[in-house]
Amino acid sequence: MSALAAGALQVAGGLLAPLLAGTVRQLKGRLQGRRRPSPLQPYRDLLRLWGKNGVAPARGSPPYR
């Protein structure tokens, strides 16, 4: 397997992993008879987290930053 194909497979797996987690949550909710989130909820959570700013102390040392 070439390095390019292996890299493409890793990227595809990384992009589909949240969908798998969302599908499992939805299935568990259905089996437990309760309201369930959308399978796309992990993607919304990731977008929200990536949009947050980092918080660092004013006098933080370089290794901390």
Side-chain angles (χ1 to χ4, degrees), residues 2-56:
S2 72
L4 183 62
L9 188 60
Q10 284 182 340
V11 168
L15 291 175
L16 292 177
L19 182 63
L20 178 63
T23 304
V24 168
R25 282 186 197 164
Q26 188 177 38
L27 181 60
K28 282 177 65 174
R30 180 176 291 175
L31 290 173
Q32 293 173 358
R34 58 181 171 81
R35 238 179 120 198
R36 51 202 177 269
S38 164
L40 301 178
Q41 184 64 43
Y43 290 109
R44 287 192 285 270
D45 293 341
L46 286 173
L47 284 174
R48 182 181 52 86
L49 290 172
W50 285 333
K52 286 188 168 187
N53 292 331
V55 178

